[in-house]
């Protein structure tokens, strides 16, 4: 592992075009639960009821109650060393982007500027009927919240299962991955698409692909480096430039 760390450190030092794909594992050390690992959210809650449009329209109050609880826990969370080290690395590179599957906003709180929120943000919400959209860190008392413009239901501005990634977000992300020389993917089980496609796209294009995870994923044997361990520790080691 030591040799791998040294090789990756040199690659990150010498490469100017880097894209990072992050998942829930990078925020685990900030106390935010993951979805599919160690007692993750989908082991405790019903995905269909809470993270699909059908579940929302069937019981919007229940879905908002769940998102209210997640807003509370995310508001009390802070970025960890992994988030800060990526923000530092961004400042040293001309082409450096984070495509995050996370909705917690911790990359931005750590100082990262070029962050694409591939699945949205838990503090953004939009009307189910009109074009109203807003950002607020409110924990709603009255549930479900209603659009102040047209009095229809408000929903979290998050991409749920069965929904498409907004086209502009997808195209921007795809193009960034095309242009990058290195893809670093951190703390993601790499089983949700189209985000996981960026790993395949990078492997197919012959880019340098680096995995950081506590466990192996379906791509571990296909990538250039599969670094097993906690994101905060490994990112600190590989960014010691
Ligand atoms: N350091 C590194 N990796 C970690 C850590 C850590 N401290 N803790 C957990 N992990 C790894 C786990 O081994 C797991 O592979 O992070 C990964 C988290 O996987 P998931 O819980 O599936 O989260 P993610 O990959 O982000 O899920 C993708 O699925 O439910 C949807 O929209 C949701 O964005 C989410 C998407």
């Amino acid at each position: 592992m030591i040799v791998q760390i040294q090789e990756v450190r040199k690659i990150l030092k010498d490469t100017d075009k880097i894209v990072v794909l992050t998942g829930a594992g990078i925020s685990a050390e900030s106390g935010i639960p993951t979805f599919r690992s160690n007692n993750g959210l989908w082991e405790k809650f019903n995905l269909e009821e809470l993270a699909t449009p059908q579940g929302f329209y069937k019981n919007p109050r229940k879905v908002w109650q769940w998102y209210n609880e997640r807003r509370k826990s995310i508001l009390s969370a802070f970025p960890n060393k992994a988030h800060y080290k990526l923000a530092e690395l961004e400042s040293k590179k001309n082409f450096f982007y984070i495509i995050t599957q996370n909705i917690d906003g911790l990359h931005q709180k750590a100082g990262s500027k070029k962050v694409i929120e591939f699945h949205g943000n838990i503090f953004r919400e939009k009307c189910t009927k009109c074009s109203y959209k807003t950002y607020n860190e409110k924990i709603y008392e009255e549930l479900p919240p209603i659009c102040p413009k047209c009095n229809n239901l408000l929903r979290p501005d998050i991409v749920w299962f069965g929904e498409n990634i907004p086209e502009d977000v997808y195209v921007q992300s795809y193009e960034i991955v095309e242009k990058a020389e290195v893809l670093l993917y951190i703390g993601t089980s790499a089983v949700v698409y189209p985000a996981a496609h960026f790993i395949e796209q990078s492997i197919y294009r012959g880019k340098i692909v680096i995995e950081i995870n506590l466990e192996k994923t379906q791509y571990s044997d296909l990538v250039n480096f599969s670094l097993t361990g906690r994101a905060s520790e490994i990112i600190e080691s590989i960014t010691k430039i």
Side-chain angles (χ1 to χ4, degrees), residues 23-25 29 34-36 42 101 119 187-189 192 213-215 231:
E29 293 170 69
T34 62
F35 295 96
R36 296 174 187 79
W42 300 142
Q101 300 172 88
H119 292 160
T188 179
S189 56
V192 173
N213 199 311
L214 280 181
E215 300 158 348

Side-chain angles (χ1 to χ4, degrees), residues 135-184:
Y135 176 98
N136 72 52
E137 298 187 351
K138 204 176 195 176
I139 306 298
Y140 281 103
E141 300 295 325
E142 293 289 310
L143 294 176
I146 300 298
C147 174
K149 269 178 70 178
C150 72
N151 284 330
N152 283 292
L153 264 180
L154 279 184
R155 59 162 282 182
D157 189 5
I158 286 169
V159 181
W160 282 325
F161 289 98
E163 295 186 314
N164 291 327
I165 303 292
E167 192 181 350
D168 58 332
V169 172
Y170 181 78
V171 169
Q172 184 191 11
S173 303
Y174 179 87
E175 286 171 355
I176 285 167
V177 173
E178 280 292 89
K179 287 189 189 121
E181 295 161 311
V182 170
L183 170 80
L184 191 56

